[in-house]
Amino acid sequence: MRIHSTIAHYVTQRRAIVWLAVALISIASVFVLVTRMRLDTEVLNLLPSGFESVEGLKVYNRDFAQVRELTFALLCQPQDVDKLEEFAPEFAQRLRHQPWCTRIFAGAPMETAEGIHDLQSIAVPLLLNLEPQAFDQAIALLQPQQIRERLHRLREEIEAGSPRPQMELTLDPLGVIAPALKPFASNAAIEEDQPLTSPDRTMRVFLTVTNQPSISAFDCQKLMQEVNAFRQTATQGWDGGPLQVLVTGRSAYVAEISLSMRHDIIVTVLGSIILVGGVFYAGFRRWIPLFGMGFSLILCCVVALACGLLVFGELNMVTIGFCAILIGLGVDFAILIYGRYQQARDEGFDHPTAVGESVRTLGRAVFFGALTTAIGFLALLLAGSAGFTQLGVLIALGISFAGVFMMTVFFLFLPRKSPPPRRDWMFESVRRYVHWIVAKPASVLWIVTPILIALTALAISPKPPVIFDVSTSSMEPKRSDAGYALKTIMEKMPTRWEPVLGIVKANDAQQLHDYWQRIAAHWQKVQDAGKIKSFSTPAALAMSPARERNNRETLQKLSFPAARDALSAAINAEGFNRDTFGPAFALLDQLQSASYLSLRLPDWRSLLPKSSSWWFLVDRYFAHDPLLSTGFVTTNQPVETQAQQQMLRRELPVSGVPMVLSGWSFTLTDLVPWSHRQLILISSLMAVFDAALLAVLYRDWRLWLIQVATLAMSVASMIATMKLLHLPLNLLNVLAFRLVLAIGVDYGIYVLLVWQNAKKLDHDVAGVVKPVILAALTAICGFGSLGAANNPTLSGLGYACAIGLFWSIVATIFFTLPAAAAAEPKSWREESLQPRVKDPEHA
């Protein structure tokens, strides 16, 4: 028994067996979804792996505490700048008291008593990390004569009315803390490149670190609910004009993206279902087959998702576009199969025979259509992106299941008794068109071919250029409060563009210290040459065990009893209050303890209170692993071009130091060549595959040439349309070209395979052209529904594919069909157009 007869037998005579198989598959798939469903919200997984800059960005986001940092900004009107200055401390205090706020950075720590006290507590470790010459100069201040002279000088300056010596007596009476903190303080000038107040004073920025347990989507959503509740009451007490409270940061983005994904799932899937269902009903005016198609599509999605979870373990949120795409593509098979089935019933065939006839006639076309589409999406594996790899595999699985279910499960919903035929205006219009173009193909070709050639010329012309968007905003949600906040901050503080990261991992503390000493010296030369604007490194904070040991040996030569006696005598001689010098005597005790080599000194990080503002500096440079650190390079202009990126790759690395250069702008610019390769190389490979498959299918060089020309002009028309509509390409929607090649070729396959085997040309070809048109409309609707997604990656991919498929169906109907008619012998066309006589076999 042939396969089409077997299928017809089971779906018409053994329906219970088929329903049992459907029930078992459904139960197993739902069980997998319920027990194993895990979603990955990592946006970086949309970027291709294998790039050092991408991996560096993942390391920075995963291992550095700055990812838990939120940036708040207060924005007022110009006339309210004085009120903003008064309100800012009150706002900072409210922030500090929030349960989710670990610490806040609202100003330079050196300007606060808490910040100075915190620095005093870590003075000894930093003093021991000074280079030998600087350390010797600092310790020389502890000689008895130096102590007496310093206190005498300070007394004279106080009597002269200067306020500075009183501050020195309070903060650094011995004069050794300032040298110890000088390297630290020089790196602490965060406001120099990252100001907290805009030049026009209408904006104040506050940095906070939150206590959220992870950067997962649910933790970020929970945090932002509390943050947004705080924003509602944060302006209480403000008596000026409008005051905006803006907030941005990784947690804000993750919360928005994950919530927008939920919106995208609902909008795109429902939109796709409504549009696709509307097209199906408009074409056939039948409700029961529409329900059968919907059930089969849902089954395809559920089974494919279950298989995806078994293969990958978790699915990236970008795969939410999977259902909308699959609905738009899988319905093609239902339309083709049902169109042929309905035609057979109208011709008088009974239900089982019509089922077998539709599978026999279009089974081969459905198989190759599913094959080309599946391979087109499996080509996403070559993108190297985890999110798009999953998307490609899921749709490849789903489209394969769709081909099977539409030729089996779909028939379970078709009634045995055929409803009376209705006047099919669409089929009649298509039949008349086929009749006309078969008789006079040249009349259509003379109109359509110049249009397609003109669009092709526009596509390959350098002007207007294709817009290629590699900005960070191309990856942001369309409607993003966090994105608006960041954009506003950047506009008000134009020096705040994102720095380039130099990430360094060492094997031990001494190696880390040596690495950053060499990097700092090299980057200073690069800055002096004017190739970068500025830089900051953890060179002064990376402790050197070798320096520490040498400096502790030097401390052993100092007479601490003599220093204490000299300090006591000078205090009495100058008439100072001894209680004021308590920190000075404590410092001498700490230094004396440090001189004992057998005593292990604590890590200076453990001496800083967790609420200290200085942790913003520490976390800025060091990861959770203290041997993993990063430096920052501020470029002269934001990194947007390949020339800038290549210059930085050439100038910033240091020979012998393993350094990873990264940063959002730097990474996106780094991916431009990859994106171009995706556009050209992978699409070319897909085109070669299509050409080879068509040669095997048609075995007619004329039809092969027509189909290849159709594909080329369809893609070219897609590019030309995007140029004319100013629709940008980004790093990921370039994948649309291969998808258009994979899906668009199916339309020609459906038409030309029937064309080759048609007995009654206007009847048989019209019978497939109508479903092909409907299939194309549903695919366009499926991809077009992605345009409503808040995720720009999905919406951009949807728009590009919808445009490409539009031109694919236009070229198929108005170029492929008349070109095939023109290529056939005239006598054959005339014979095929004779009045149709019913086949005696079915009379």
Side-chain angles (χ1 to χ4, degrees), residues 436-456:
W436 175 55
I437 64 105
V438 170
K440 299 179 180 180
S443 58
V444 178
L445 291 175
W446 278 111
I447 297 173
V448 174
T449 304
I451 295 175
L452 294 176
I453 292 176
L455 290 172
T456 302

Side-chain angles (χ1 to χ4, degrees), residues 308-367:
L309 284 172
L310 292 175
V311 172
F312 297 109
E314 66 177 5
L315 299 178
N316 192 278
M317 290 293 282
V318 74
T319 56
I320 59 98
F322 149 79
C323 293
I325 295 173
L326 186 57
I327 289 171
L329 296 178
V331 73
D332 292 3
F333 303 143
I335 289 175
L336 289 168
I337 293 292
Y338 185 69
R340 183 66 189 97
Y341 169 85
Q342 188 184 51
Q343 188 180 27
R345 294 303 301 267
D346 291 346
E347 292 171 355
F349 291 104
D350 61 14
H351 177 61
T353 306
V355 170
E357 180 67 14
S358 60
V359 176
R360 182 191 67 81
T361 306
L362 289 171
R364 186 165 173 250
V366 168
F367 171 79

Side-chain angles (χ1 to χ4, degrees), residues 235-256:
T235 58
Q236 290 180 357
W238 170 262
D239 59 354
L243 179 67
Q244 295 186 58
V245 181
L246 308 177
V247 62
T248 188
R250 177 169 171 78
S251 297
Y253 271 114
V254 171
E256 286 187 348

